Amino acid sequence: MKHLSHNQLLEMDARYRAQLINSLSGFKSANLIGTRNKQNHNNLAIFSSVVHLGASPALVGFITRPDIVERHTLENILQTKQFTINQVNESFWQAAHQTSARYDADQSEFEQTGLTPHNVAGINAPFVKESHLKYALKLREIVPIELNGTQLVIGEITDILCDDLAIKADGYIDIESLGTVAISGLDSYHTSQRLSRLSYAKPEIQPIEISLDGNTLDGNSFEI
Amino acid sequence: MKHLSHNQLLEMDARYRAQLINSLSGFKSANLIGTRNKQNHNNLAIFSSVVHLGASPALVGFITRPDIVERHTLENILQTKQFTINQVNESFWQAAHQTSARYDADQSEFEQTGLTPHNVAGINAPFVKESHLKYALKLREIVPIELNGTQLVIGEITDILCDDLAIKADGYIDIESLGTVAISGLDSYHTSQRLSRLSYAKPEIQPIEISLDGNTLDGNSFEI
């Protein structure tokens, strides 16, 4: 097994290190964040850092890059206080990747990549029509991470749009059935193959496989 | 397509909402965090919130729950300022899940789940021997998220241990070849199937599929 030391990390070529370090966190979520600026221009950008923060209130966050690069997504969110998050699926993963190209602020990534904006009354940000699971958020907080100039942008979920069949009896959403993809490193895309859902873990009891609906496999409901 | 409103979210049964909201961020990383307290007791806990924060310096973060529950991982990190992150793979995903049971602080999840601690000189936290990609971090910052009492714990990577063959020519690590699993929702585990790596996105140029080593598929090196 290879052992890379701190000094070896510091001396690495920057691009090599970026690929390597981006591979360490494991599989990442693949989401398109939709925003709109005051001039009504739609923006769409892929993020691999969307992270669950809490269910009550329903909070989701993502990491933005330092402001040495243009950050249209963040600028738009600061203007409207709203954004959408749209899960990337296997029908449009290449178009989703292409949103990471450095388009100008007045170029819409929807037009440039062929994805379709979908508007919902009362939400001042575009959804991605091609996404099977998407939600709107209002901005709640921007937490600065001073160590490297990034920021954790936190939104509260206000509306969820999801293919009905994917929502299971206990609230679990079968995102595999929606074709949702995962990212590894900076640029690798993956579909998934379920091993199983597992029962809630308790000391002294081995976890058991449970059904997609959250029941034991003999059909009894599962007590947690 | 089902549309769930903010009011419907607020009125949901708490367990149903937890399953639902935890499914929204997409596929999550599956990692075991290894720590040790001052009494030399090892602790191991699964986290699905490990997130890449930056490559230079090499920073990784994870979200801890509010302190209304015992948080042995965080308590130990505050004592030693060190921890390890170990990617979960398909050879021990059930044991990894079992670490989420509420063991007492003096019970080691290694002994309880059958996983093997692996010590490296100079690092005061245990690695998981069964993991094919793991790294040590020193604590850099704990960022409070006041909206819900969670915290973003940030470490800087000091040492990386990885199966040599998985590290590709441009630094990308083929975590699929390591059997690394992803999580959806609270309790579903998944292996992956690569669609492709894609070339760095530029305006006006469609991204192309590239090899695992980061080259174009005709063997030429890929210019970014």
Side-chain angles (χ1 to χ4, degrees):
Chain A
M1 189 165 264
K2 196 178 186 75
H3 184 160
L4 294 166
S5 70
H6 196 227
N7 277 342
Q8 285 172 294
L9 286 179
L10 295 177
E11 288 163 6
M12 265 174 199
D13 169 76
R15 284 184 192 169
Y16 186 97
R17 182 174 53 221
Q19 286 284 358
L20 185 83
I21 302 299
N22 268 281
S23 303
L24 295 184
S25 56
F27 286 105
K28 311 179 198 188
S29 56
N31 289 287
L32 286 168
I33 298 187
T35 58
R36 184 174 292 151
N37 68 13
K38 281 183 183 166
Q39 290 76 42
N40 273 322
H41 286 137
N42 285 337
N43 191 275
L44 193 63
I46 191 165
F47 282 82
S48 64
S49 60
V50 170
V51 63
H52 171 83
L53 294 177
S56 181
L59 300 176
V60 169
F62 69 96
I63 307 291
T64 62
R65 299 176 65 187
D67 62 7
I68 51 171
V69 295
E70 284 190 61
R71 298 177 300 178
H72 302 152
T73 297
L74 181 60
E75 289 161 19
N76 292 354
I77 292 174
L78 288 170
Q79 290 179 24
T80 63
K81 316 294 186 201
Q82 280 198 317
F83 56 108
T84 70
I85 296 181
N86 306 264
Q87 284 192 4
V88 175
N89 66 51
E90 57 191 319
S91 76
F92 65 90
W93 58 285
Q94 299 99 327
H97 182 76
Q98 182 63 15
T99 64
S100 62
R102 292 194 187 179
Y103 294 109
D104 295 332
D106 61 355
Q107 287 182 299
S108 168
E109 288 81 5
F110 283 103
E111 289 168 22
Q112 299 296 324
T113 65
L115 292 168
T116 315
H118 171 66
N119 295 314
V120 169
I123 298 171
N124 191 16
F127 288 99
V128 176
K129 187 177 178 201
E130 289 81 358
S131 174
H132 303 309
L133 171 49
K134 47 208 171 193
Y135 42 105
L137 307 96
K138 62 179 175 190
L139 175 64
R140 287 296 305 271
E141 193 174 347
I142 297 180
V143 180
I145 299 172
E146 287 168 13
L147 280 169
N148 66 353
T150 58
Q151 294 172 292
L152 173 63
V153 180
I154 302 175
E156 180 172 350
I157 296 167
T158 59
D159 297 82
I160 301 172
L161 302 176
C162 182
D163 280 1
D164 212 349
L165 284 175
I167 305 176
K168 299 301 165 187
D170 67 347
Y172 171 75
I173 303 177
D174 181 5
I175 66 173
E176 184 164 290
S177 75
L178 299 176
T180 298
V181 301
I183 295 176
S184 70
L186 287 165
D187 52 30
S188 185
Y189 293 81
H190 308 255
T191 56
S192 67
Q193 182 74 42
R194 177 175 288 101
L195 293 161
S196 181
R197 291 185 67 184
L198 289 180
S199 58
Y200 188 83
K202 294 179 179 179
E204 316 306 336
I205 301 172
Q206 287 303 307
I208 58 169
E209 300 194 355
I210 57 175
S211 74
L212 270 178
D213 282 318
N215 296 322
T216 58
L217 293 181
D218 58 10
N220 295 320
S221 72
F222 173 67
E223 273 302 314
I224 64 174
Chain B
M1 190 166 264
K2 195 176 187 78
H3 183 159
L4 294 166
S5 69
H6 195 227
N7 276 343
Q8 286 173 292
L9 286 180
L10 295 178
E11 289 164 6
M12 266 174 198
D13 169 74
R15 285 185 192 169
Y16 186 96
R17 183 174 54 223
Q19 286 285 358
L20 185 85
I21 302 298
N22 268 281
S23 302
L24 295 183
S25 57
F27 286 105
K28 312 180 198 189
S29 55
N31 289 288
L32 286 169
I33 298 188
T35 56
R36 183 173 293 151
N37 69 11
K38 281 182 183 166
Q39 291 76 41
N40 274 322
H41 287 135
N42 286 336
N43 191 275
L44 193 64
I46 191 164
F47 281 82
S48 63
S49 61
V50 170
V51 63
H52 171 84
L53 293 176
S56 181
L59 300 175
V60 170
F62 69 95
I63 307 291
T64 60
R65 299 176 66 187
D67 62 7
I68 51 170
V69 294
E70 284 189 61
R71 299 177 301 178
H72 301 154
T73 297
L74 181 59
E75 289 160 18
N76 292 354
I77 291 174
L78 288 170
Q79 290 179 25
T80 63
K81 316 296 185 199
Q82 281 198 316
F83 55 109
T84 70
I85 296 181
N86 307 265
Q87 285 192 3
V88 175
N89 65 50
E90 57 191 319
S91 77
F92 65 90
W93 59 285
Q94 299 100 326
H97 181 76
Q98 183 63 14
T99 64
S100 63
R102 292 193 188 179
Y103 294 109
D104 295 332
D106 61 357
Q107 288 182 299
S108 168
E109 288 80 5
F110 282 103
E111 288 167 23
Q112 299 295 323
T113 66
L115 292 168
T116 315
H118 171 66
N119 295 314
V120 170
I123 299 171
N124 191 16
F127 288 98
V128 176
K129 186 176 181 204
E130 289 81 358
S131 174
H132 303 310
L133 171 48
K134 46 206 172 194
Y135 41 105
L137 307 95
K138 61 179 176 190
L139 175 65
R140 287 297 304 272
E141 194 174 344
I142 297 179
V143 180
I145 299 172
E146 287 167 13
L147 280 169
N148 66 353
T150 57
Q151 294 174 292
L152 172 63
V153 180
I154 303 175
E156 180 172 350
I157 296 167
T158 59
D159 297 82
I160 301 172
L161 302 178
C162 182
D163 279 1
D164 212 348
L165 284 174
I167 305 177
K168 299 302 166 186
D170 68 345
Y172 172 74
I173 303 177
D174 181 4
I175 65 173
E176 184 163 290
S177 74
L178 299 177
T180 299
V181 302
I183 295 175
S184 70
L186 287 165
D187 52 29
S188 185
Y189 292 81
H190 308 255
T191 57
S192 68
Q193 182 75 38
R194 179 175 286 101
L195 292 161
S196 182
R197 291 184 65 183
L198 289 179
S199 58
Y200 188 83
K202 294 178 178 179
E204 317 305 338
I205 300 172
Q206 288 303 305
I208 57 169
E209 299 193 356
I210 58 176
S211 73
L212 270 179
D213 282 320
N215 297 321
T216 59
L217 294 181
D218 57 11
N220 295 318
S221 72
F222 172 66
E223 274 301 315
I224 64 172

